[in-house]
């Protein structure tokens, strides 16, 4: 989604440094993945939906940032997210762990083409110290990515449970803008938790969701859907300015 040239970290990056000072890499995205443990924090600012991954019974939680493909309504004039909360998927850029999820070893990788890297170490934090050992900054990156991977596994368990309980259903919406009929939008292709289905699950399943904090995540997701109004207001203002 945001990586152009993923390469493993190696000795050739010994002098490199990195400093991410904006989110320009999100300009073409109207949504990004969010971890289950982030839903409560992100729900106050983003609409949170679920997208089918293509694998049977697997879904990915997403925070929505735009109302149509290639649109991001939440970047300010400096290409920085205007939200107080920034999803971990965004914060980990330009780094990522490479390798399959079932592999015991996963390599630390990076988007080698990212403009945020300085090849001579003149910008941001160094990746390596002069003796070739990992810098404190890079050690923090590794720990962050390990934690991200652990929480991504938790997210898969959460969404799988939603599927098993048949709580997700497709949703679509038609958005009209006054005096701008050419800008009308049809939203679709995503899933939300159906309140009516949640109300009829068995007591044992409801208690299990409660004990695992999944119930809190579900209600945070449901409340987050009102944030579509914020995106509509932002787009309306943009259309009016045009």
């Amino acid at each position: 989604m945001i990586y152009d040239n993923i390469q493993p970290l190696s000795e050739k990056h010994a002098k490199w440094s990195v400093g991410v000072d904006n989110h320009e890499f999100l300009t073409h995205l109207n949504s990004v993945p969010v971890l289950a443990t982030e839903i409560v924090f992100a729900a106050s600012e983003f609409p949170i939906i679920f997208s089918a991954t293509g694998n049977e019974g697997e879904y990915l939680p997403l925070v929505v940032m735009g109302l149509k493909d290639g649109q991001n309504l939440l970047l300010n004039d400096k290409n920085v997210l205007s939200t107080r909360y920034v999803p971990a998927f965004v914060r980990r850029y330009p780094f990522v762990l490479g390798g399959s999820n079932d592999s015991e070893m996963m390599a630390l990788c990076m988007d080698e083409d990212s403009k945020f890297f300085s090849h001579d170490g003149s910008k941001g934090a160094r990746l390596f110290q002069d003796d070739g050992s990992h810098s404190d900054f890079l050690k923090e990156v590794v720990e962050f990515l390990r934690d991200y991977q652990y929480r991504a596994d938790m997210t898969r368990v959460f969404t799988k449970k939603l599927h098993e309980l048949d709580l997700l259903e497709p949703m679509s919406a038609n958005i009209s803008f006054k005096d701008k009929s050419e800008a009308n939008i049809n939203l679709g292709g995503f899933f939300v938790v159906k309140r009516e289905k949640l109300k009829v699950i068995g007591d044992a399943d409801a208690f299990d969701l409660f004990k695992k904090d999944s119930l809190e995540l579900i209600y945070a997701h449901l409340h987050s859907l009102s944030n579509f109004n914020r995106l509509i207001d932002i787009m309306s203002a943009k259309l009016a300015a045009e």
Side-chain angles (χ1 to χ4, degrees):
M1 299 175 71
I2 57 178
Y3 297 86
D4 294 317
N5 181 22
I6 296 178
Q7 298 294 331
L9 191 69
S10 66
E11 294 178 356
K12 74 174 181 177
H13 305 118
K15 299 297 184 182
W16 286 33
S17 60
V18 63
V20 179
D21 53 11
N22 65 68
H23 303 124
E24 184 180 356
F25 52 93
L26 298 178
T27 54
H28 65 294
L29 294 177
N30 67 351
S31 64
V32 297
V34 65
L35 299 169
T37 51
E38 297 182 278
I39 288 177
V40 171
F41 304 102
S44 63
E45 299 184 275
F46 303 89
I48 299 173
I49 61 173
F50 296 89
S51 175
T53 66
N55 296 325
E56 179 64 28
E58 290 189 8
Y59 296 83
L60 189 66
L62 301 172
V63 292
V64 181
M65 302 180 294
L67 298 175
K68 58 183 181 180
D69 290 342
Q71 178 194 67
N72 192 318
L73 295 170
L74 299 181
L75 292 174
N76 62 24
D77 57 0
K78 295 181 179 179
N79 280 326
V80 175
L81 277 175
S82 58
T83 55
R84 288 164 296 177
Y85 188 80
V86 178
F89 179 87
V90 177
R91 285 182 277 129
R92 71 176 180 171
Y93 184 81
F95 299 97
V96 67
L97 287 180
S100 60
N101 290 330
D102 56 358
S103 172
E104 294 183 1
M105 296 294 293
M106 299 190 76
L108 175 59
C109 299
M110 51 196 267
D111 183 358
E112 207 170 61
D113 291 347
S114 172
K115 72 169 190 175
F116 299 114
F117 283 116
S118 171
H119 295 189
D120 60 5
S122 59
K123 173 186 175 182
R126 286 277 300 271
L127 304 183
F128 294 92
Q129 300 187 75
D130 290 336
D131 63 3
S133 60
H134 287 188
S135 67
D136 290 340
F137 167 78
L138 192 58
K139 292 176 182 177
E140 292 177 359
V141 168
V142 171
E143 288 305 310
F144 179 82
L145 293 178
R146 286 175 176 168
D147 183 69
Y148 185 96
Q149 196 66 31
Y150 170 72
R151 295 176 187 272
D153 292 337
M154 293 173 60
T155 302
R156 282 187 284 273
V157 172
F158 168 65
T159 58
K160 182 179 179 181
K161 189 66 175 179
L162 297 182
H163 173 72
E164 290 174 350
L165 295 176
D166 192 31
L167 294 177
L168 296 172
E169 71 167 8
M171 180 180 177
S172 61
N174 297 316
I175 303 173
S176 301
F177 297 93
K178 185 177 180 180
D179 301 327
K180 292 283 185 178
S181 59
E182 71 279 1
N184 292 347
I185 295 172
N186 295 317
L187 288 177
F190 60 94
F191 295 79
V192 298
V193 171
K194 183 69 171 179
R195 283 181 180 270
E196 287 73 12
K197 290 184 176 182
L198 182 62
K199 291 178 181 179
V200 297
I201 63 174
D203 291 347
D205 287 324
F207 184 71
D208 183 61
L209 291 176
F210 168 73
K211 291 292 289 183
K212 295 178 179 177
D213 293 329
S214 297
L215 205 56
E216 180 183 13
L217 303 184
I218 290 172
Y219 281 113
H221 147 67
L222 289 171
H223 289 305
S224 79
L225 298 178
S226 65
N227 288 319
F228 272 115
N229 293 326
R230 178 190 181 192
L231 297 178
I232 293 171
D233 289 344
I234 294 173
M235 188 166 178
S236 293
K238 288 181 178 292
L239 291 172
E242 293 173 356

